[in-house]
Amino acid sequence: MASFASTSSPTPFGFFDSDSAFQTEADALVTFVKRKLGDDILSVELTSKQIWACFEESFCEYGAIVNQYQAKSQLANLMGLSTGSLTGGENKFPRQTLEFALRMSEPYISYAGLGGAFNTVSGSIALTQNVQDYDLYTDMKDSSGVPIVSSSLNPTLGKMRIFEVFHYSPQASYRFFDTTSAINYLNNEFSFESFTPETVFYVLPVFEDILRGGQMALSNKVRRSNYSYRISGTKIRIFPAPATTNPRALFLRVGFENDPNTPAFNDPSIYGVNGIQNVPFGNLTYAKINSIGRQWTRQYALSASKELLGLVRSKFSSVPIPGGELTLNGGDLVSSGREEKDKLRAELKELLDTMTYDKLLETHATKLDNLQKVLRAIPIPMGRCITIG
């Protein structure tokens, strides 16, 4: 019998043909399969290439299942990475990152005005004396006098979102953060900082200034006719009505509907890993598989060979012989082989279910809890014991 290494195209796909460990195992597997299927008593109608094909299928199946569970554990850390040739990520233990969580939080960050993936723009409305109502889509313009909603910043002419309206009384800010206020210096000289409405930068903690400033701003809003606004549809109404002859402009920060695939900056991660279908996990290397994986592969190859032998024998339900006929057991072999393959897959998945990173953390936490319970009861000299918690 020709060896695996000396045979031309020994397996259908040739994924592992150059792996020396796979080559050595393949030759031994032929003997293993044939003897397990009774070749010493009755000839097994399988060629070496057919058994090697089952061996290749077996290791591919093992690698696919293992990679699925690795993807479950690592997908959040791999999202956005270059897919490359769809290999190179297997058999690695990557560091944990917060990139996925940060990407999910970008829309909220954008609304808060603290960043995000899309630009926001500012525009202003020229206020008129004694006029409270304005149209955001026609009256709000950029520095060139072009309505924001119809400018080049809104190519789709879509809905405009209002993020911030700069319409408020600056009184609280002036009173609490004006470092040039003469009262601040008098307070410091005469040591009555704690009894003044002004900012105290020398004794009181900063959080008190912040709380007092917020309290004053809320008091002005509730108890006085303070600066406020109301937006309904495309209209905005401001309070109080502008009283001066040439009131200041009202500035707003707005955004538009964005294409999620076209952020404001060049982002190669958009074309990177976006799901299990393009995680860069290639075929495993047989030489790096331990005895657990190799034994599973042998058993699966045996079951696949048994199924294949059953299919071969099912082509003829019986074979005529002198004085009668020989009934073949093709159907039984097919059923048995498929059942064994399903059982092996189920057992491997059940094992891997307990070994995802999430499950390992749960197991570790349980061990720590149990260890604390044990340590509480361990006696030490002088009649004392170790206590934790």
Side-chain angles (χ1 to χ4, degrees):
M1 181 186 72
S3 66
F4 184 91
S6 62
T7 302
S8 176
S9 301
T11 59
F13 297 102
F15 292 145
F16 317 106
D17 289 357
S18 60
D19 188 330
S20 59
F22 189 87
Q23 294 173 1
T24 303
E25 188 86 6
D27 290 330
L29 191 72
V30 173
T31 303
F32 171 71
V33 168
K34 286 197 172 186
R35 286 182 178 177
K36 291 289 287 184
L37 295 178
D39 187 64
D40 294 340
I41 305 300
L42 180 65
S43 178
V44 173
E45 303 86 35
L46 291 177
T47 65
S48 295
K49 281 193 172 184
Q50 287 175 311
I51 296 175
W52 291 336
C54 292
F55 186 31
E56 183 184 52
E57 176 196 356
S58 174
F59 192 50
C60 284
E61 184 71 15
Y62 177 79
I65 295 174
V66 169
N67 281 341
Q68 287 173 20
Y69 281 85
Q70 282 297 96
K72 287 175 65 175
S73 293
Q74 301 179 11
L75 187 58
N77 297 319
L78 301 176
M79 296 288 273
L81 295 183
S82 174
T83 57
S85 58
L86 296 179
T87 60
E90 66 280 0
N91 289 331
K92 290 185 178 179
F93 180 37
R95 290 286 181 181
Q96 298 291 309
T97 71
L98 295 176
E99 289 302 316
F100 179 73
L102 291 174
R103 197 180 187 101
M104 294 298 101
S105 67
E106 280 182 353
Y108 308 96
I109 293 173
S110 179
Y111 268 80
L114 300 175
F118 302 98
N119 290 333
T120 58
V121 296
S122 294
S124 62
I125 297 175
L127 301 181
T128 305
Q129 185 179 19
N130 298 324
V131 176
Q132 291 183 270
D133 297 327
Y134 300 88
D135 191 302
L136 295 169
Y137 279 63
T138 57
D139 295 331
M140 188 172 66
K141 301 176 181 180
D142 60 18
S143 57
S144 302
V146 179
I148 291 289
V149 74
S150 59
S151 68
S152 59
L153 300 172
N154 185 20
T156 62
L157 299 179
K159 178 182 178 181
M160 182 168 61
R161 292 186 173 89
I162 309 299
F163 291 134
E164 192 170 3
V165 179
F166 298 94
H167 183 65
Y168 47 82
S169 170
Q171 181 181 8
S173 299
Y174 283 159
R175 294 184 64 184
F176 275 83
F177 302 105
D178 182 5
T179 58
T180 63
S181 171
I183 299 180
N184 277 330
Y185 296 103
L186 293 173
N187 293 339
N188 186 57
E189 289 295 328
F190 293 99
S191 301
F192 57 91
E193 299 95 328
S194 301
F195 307 97
T196 176
E198 292 289 348
T199 307
V200 178
F201 295 98
Y202 302 96
V203 177
L204 293 180
V206 175
F207 75 85
E208 289 204 18
D209 293 338
I210 296 173
L211 291 175
R212 192 180 295 109
Q215 182 182 10
M216 178 170 288
L218 182 61
S219 173
N220 289 341
K221 183 175 181 180
V222 174
R223 296 170 178 166
R224 300 183 181 182
S225 178
N226 202 41
Y227 283 54
S228 61
Y229 61 90
R230 181 189 305 151
I231 296 176
S232 179
T234 64
K235 307 296 183 181
I236 182 171
R237 170 172 290 186
I238 62 171
F239 302 93
T244 59
T245 305
N246 295 310
R248 296 179 179 179
L250 173 66
F251 286 86
L252 301 92
R253 183 172 65 88
V254 301
F256 303 100
E257 293 180 347
N258 299 291
D259 180 356
N261 293 320
T262 312
F265 50 87
N266 181 29
D267 185 8
S269 66
I270 287 178
Y271 306 99
V273 174
N274 63 358
I276 193 174
Q277 76 282 355
N278 59 0
V279 172
F281 286 171
N283 290 315
L284 302 181
T285 303
Y286 195 78
K288 295 182 179 180
I289 299 301
N290 60 17
S291 60
I292 300 173
R294 292 192 182 193
Q295 182 61 16
W296 189 95
T297 303
R298 296 183 193 111
Q299 293 297 326
Y300 194 93
L302 173 61
S303 301
S305 299
K306 182 184 292 187
E307 179 187 7
L308 179 58
L309 178 61
L311 293 173
V312 171
R313 290 182 177 178
S314 296
K315 292 181 179 181
F316 305 96
S317 59
S318 59
V319 177
I321 59 175
E325 60 180 22
L326 178 65
T327 302
L328 302 180
N329 62 340
D332 295 337
L333 289 172
V334 170
S335 299
S336 176
R338 289 176 178 173
E339 289 175 4
E340 290 173 4
K341 285 167 61 177
D342 291 341
K343 182 180 178 182
L344 285 167
R345 280 194 293 259
E347 290 176 350
L348 179 59
K349 290 180 179 180
E350 183 179 353
L351 174 65
L352 294 176
D353 268 332
T354 66
M355 296 185 179
T356 60
Y357 293 174
D358 292 340
K359 291 294 184 180
L360 290 178
L361 286 174
E362 292 179 10
T363 303
H364 188 60
T366 302
K367 286 182 178 179
L368 290 178
D369 290 341
N370 292 335
L371 181 60
Q372 287 182 345
K373 294 176 182 178
V374 172
L375 291 178
R376 288 193 185 103
I378 294 179
I380 62 174
M382 305 300 294
R384 299 179 182 177
C385 64
I386 299 175
T387 348
I388 297 179

